[in-house]
Amino acid sequence: MTRFRTLLSDLMHADRHADRVVPPTGHTAWLTLFTAGAMTFLAVFALALSLASGRLADRWADALARTATIRIAAPPDQMEVQIRAVLDVLATTPGVASARALTDDEQRALLEPWFGPDLPVESLPVPRLVELIEEDDGYDAEGLRQRLAAEAPGAVLDDHTRWRRPLVIAAGRLRLLGWASILLIGGTMAAMITLAANASLAANAQVIKVLRLVGARDAYIVRAFVRRFTLRALAGAAAGALAGMIGVALLPSADAAGGFLTGLGFTGAGWLLPLLLPPLAALVAFLATRTAAFRKLKELT
Amino acid sequence: MRIESGGVLGNGVRHVRASEGCAVIAFDNVAYNYGGGELLSEISLRLAPGSFHFLTGPSGAGKTTFLKLCYAELLPTAGRVALFDRDVRGLSRDDIAHTRRRIGVVHQDCQFLDHLPLATNVTLPLTVSNREPDVRDLTDLLQWVGLADLADALPPSLSGGERQRAALARAVIMSPDVILADEPTGNLDWEMSLRLLTLLVELNRMGKTILVATHDLNLIRQAKAQVAARVLRIRNRRIQLAGADL
């Protein structure tokens, strides 16, 4: 904890004189600025991807978990009897909030993507569907299956588990992928800034030599470089975050007909999350430069 | 070989024998090895406070190495070096930094922070010690070394002599106990060399311990006319007190 407070103090109260002893120009300045900007820009999209995946996983898990379908396959003359029997069973099943048979129009709409708009559903031997919505506590799926087998032998309960689970897993993995991307981006940025810091330290060997000669402590020299790199990373990351947020804002907005990609963005307070990236980038730069500088100083003198 | 070396305090009239415990720099059977053979060996000496020494020897004899050992830029490969009665091997990196604030160093190729003006370079030892420079003191110091008009100049625009005097100003701004100079007149004409020597003699009269590595025998003769300077010579990896042949 003390060490953390020291680090924070170094970051917040870095000596401006120390900053000045490092020449202000050099390719490492632009490298750091560009790296932080580009990485934060990518991190904004990774964050948007992760949040969108999370929302999708939650939506699928929630919406699909509360509904189930009963498929009834029976000869045409027994279809209505079977439907009635199923609805009667459902009406007396604890945990079932409501149940209804899909109309011909609804069934036609479901089949339209495969058979076109004018499918004569009523004259074809297609199974009929009954949709049920469960209560919060849910119902006993196995018990319901057994009752259906007894009362309506042609009825099969599909509680969506079979295809819901892989979808939810896929969305969850996508969310993890987003977070992993952010971590990788952070790691890459740390590596790039470490390289830039090492290059800067090597290029400023004379500065370090002079500072050591006049009695500068390692911490003083390190602060000079750390402050410079932290501020550069903060500035670059702020620009990258802003550009990323504009990019996300320009993506098509989510709508009912849209797919996953049109929902890729931030909603509500989620727009505040990208604003955390510049301070995080600065922290990454601070730690990376500090570590590199102390290591390099021990090598140089 | 052990050399007990005396020094001069005040106006150069009081000769003080170095004694155990009051040496600012003490070498005890020190050797230094660069890896390609021994450069210095069996060196034992003590520099008393307020003493003035020259260090001579041919090029490559180890004068610069000896000076680096004196401010812990290098550590001995054998023996013991003590700065202000503390063994350098027991010093942490921070301790070494603090010790160097008591030792002003002037190199032949004196280096500066080229992007900062001369005045900022001169006050650098104060800056790194988190001390604010006094403007009047700085002006006095720059006048003393004859660089008052160049306070805002950048180091690359200075001549060799100006750089040497700037380096001397930087070396003394912390009022160090010891001043080490490595061939400080190497790039200077005779007139400028004498001017620098005068500044070093004045510092010695203020009580500073001075050690100047040089191969300029004329400079040494000139100094001995002004101050009770002793001459050390590196020969065959060892340090000897030079005699009257100088």
Side-chain angles (χ1 to χ4, degrees):
Chain A
M1 194 62 189
T2 307
R3 185 173 166 76
F4 178 73
R5 272 203 295 269
T6 307
L7 288 175
L8 202 62
S9 171
D10 278 0
L11 181 61
M12 302 301 290
H13 304 108
D15 187 348
R16 289 185 62 80
H17 289 301
D19 189 13
R20 224 159 38 122
V21 299
V22 181
T25 54
H27 68 282
T28 55
W30 291 107
L31 181 62
T32 307
L33 209 64
F34 176 76
T35 302
M39 291 299 162
T40 309
F41 181 80
L42 294 176
V44 170
F45 281 94
L47 187 63
L49 170 75
S50 188
L51 291 178
S53 310
R55 284 196 301 273
L56 191 67
D58 292 344
R59 200 163 60 231
W60 282 348
D62 189 47
L64 296 177
R66 290 173 58 81
T67 63
T69 306
I70 294 170
R71 193 175 66 248
I72 303 166
D77 57 329
Q78 292 180 25
M79 186 60 84
E80 286 304 320
V81 177
Q82 292 265 351
I83 290 174
R84 176 48 48 199
V86 167
L87 289 174
D88 288 346
V89 168
L90 292 176
T92 56
T93 302
V96 174
S98 64
R100 68 180 186 88
L102 265 58
T103 64
D104 287 346
D105 286 343
E106 287 173 321
Q107 295 229 146
R108 192 176 293 114
L110 287 175
L111 295 171
E112 186 180 317
W114 288 273
F115 298 105
D118 300 322
L119 183 71
V121 174
E122 59 282 356
S123 61
L124 289 175
V126 293
R128 299 304 301 264
L129 301 176
V130 170
E131 181 190 65
L132 72 87
I133 296 173
E134 64 183 75
E135 292 173 345
D136 289 343
D137 294 340
Y139 61 90
D140 176 10
E142 196 49 43
L144 179 59
R145 279 197 183 92
Q146 287 177 5
R147 288 186 65 199
L148 287 173
E151 303 289 332
V156 177
L157 171 66
D158 179 1
D159 61 1
H160 303 163
T161 304
R162 192 160 40 105
W163 60 279
R164 184 184 73 215
R165 185 173 295 145
L167 277 179
V168 172
I169 289 172
R173 295 248 168 95
L174 208 54
R175 173 164 49 182
L176 277 180
L177 187 66
W179 288 113
S181 301
I182 291 172
L183 284 179
L184 277 175
I185 288 168
T188 306
M189 184 163 70
M192 295 285 283
I193 289 176
T194 300
L195 286 175
N198 278 332
S200 178
L201 287 158
N204 288 296
Q206 181 187 328
V207 170
I208 293 170
K209 192 174 172 185
V210 169
L211 291 173
R212 291 281 297 163
L213 186 70
V214 298
R217 294 166 60 228
D218 282 356
Y220 182 92
I221 301 170
V222 166
R223 271 205 300 274
F225 286 90
V226 164
R227 181 181 163 84
R228 182 63 59 82
F229 276 83
T230 302
L231 292 180
R232 280 175 192 160
L234 183 63
L242 184 66
M245 288 170 75
I246 291 172
V248 170
L250 291 177
L251 286 174
S253 59
D255 55 42
F260 168 67
L261 284 175
T262 58
L264 192 65
F266 302 108
T267 55
W271 281 101
L272 296 175
L273 286 175
L275 300 179
L276 295 176
L277 292 174
L280 274 176
L283 186 65
V284 167
F286 171 79
L287 294 173
T289 313
R290 196 171 191 276
T291 308
F294 271 116
R295 193 173 53 235
K296 194 77 180 175
L297 279 178
K298 282 181 183 160
E299 288 171 12
L300 285 176
T301 50
Chain B
M1 176 178 189
R2 174 173 286 275
I3 299 169
E4 290 286 327
S5 186
V8 178
L9 288 175
N11 294 321
V13 293
R14 193 153 65 91
H15 188 76
V16 179
R17 292 293 296 177
S19 61
E20 203 73 35
C22 73
V24 288
I25 296 174
F27 280 53
D28 186 12
N29 206 26
V30 167
Y32 188 79
N33 192 331
Y34 264 115
E38 211 162 49
L39 185 63
L40 298 171
S41 69
E42 295 178 32
I43 293 178
S44 296
L45 66 81
R46 308 174 67 79
L47 296 186
S51 61
F52 196 127
H53 288 86
F54 284 101
L55 178 65
T56 66
S59 295
K63 297 191 293 294
T64 299
T65 299
F66 179 82
L67 288 186
K68 285 183 175 177
L69 289 166
C70 287
Y71 62 94
E73 173 79 16
L74 296 175
L75 295 178
T77 46
R80 176 179 181 270
V81 173
L83 304 179
F84 309 105
D85 286 330
R86 293 188 66 186
D87 188 340
V88 292
R89 288 190 186 283
L91 299 178
S92 66
R93 290 175 66 83
D94 280 355
D95 289 337
I96 289 175
H98 284 294
T99 302
R100 284 183 186 166
R101 294 175 191 176
R102 301 179 65 184
I103 301 174
V105 183
V106 181
H107 284 294
Q108 180 180 6
D109 58 336
C110 32
Q111 294 179 327
F112 297 94
L113 305 186
D114 289 342
H115 62 291
L116 295 177
L118 173 64
T120 310
N121 268 285
V122 168
T123 56
L124 202 55
L126 293 173
T127 307
V128 302
S129 310
N130 294 319
R131 287 166 57 183
E132 286 295 322
D134 184 294
V135 176
R136 214 165 57 184
D137 287 350
L138 175 62
T139 307
D140 288 348
L141 179 61
L142 289 179
Q143 276 175 349
W144 179 66
V145 294
L147 296 174
D149 295 337
L150 295 171
D152 296 325
L154 291 177
S157 68
L158 300 178
S159 68
E162 289 164 345
R163 290 174 71 87
Q164 289 292 350
R165 283 179 282 146
L168 184 61
R170 184 180 67 187
V172 302
I173 197 165
M174 289 282 282
S175 191
D177 300 302
V178 180
I179 292 161
L180 306 174
D182 187 7
E183 300 282 6
T185 60
N187 295 326
L188 305 183
D189 57 32
W190 178 242
E191 187 183 348
M192 191 58 69
S193 298
L194 286 182
R195 192 167 173 183
L196 196 71
L197 176 66
T198 304
L199 295 175
L200 290 169
V201 169
E202 282 181 29
L203 287 167
N204 181 243
R205 286 175 177 158
M206 291 177 207
K208 309 298 181 192
T209 307
I210 311 284
L211 174 59
V212 181
T214 183
H215 60 268
D216 188 344
L217 300 185
N218 287 330
L219 187 76
I220 297 173
R221 290 186 192 109
Q222 189 69 34
K224 290 183 85 165
Q226 302 176 46
V227 70
R230 290 202 161 198
V231 182
L232 307 171
R233 177 188 285 152
I234 299 180
R235 178 177 287 172
N236 296 328
R237 304 190 305 278
R238 290 169 176 78
I239 282 189
Q240 305 166 335
L241 262 177
D245 54 329
L246 286 168

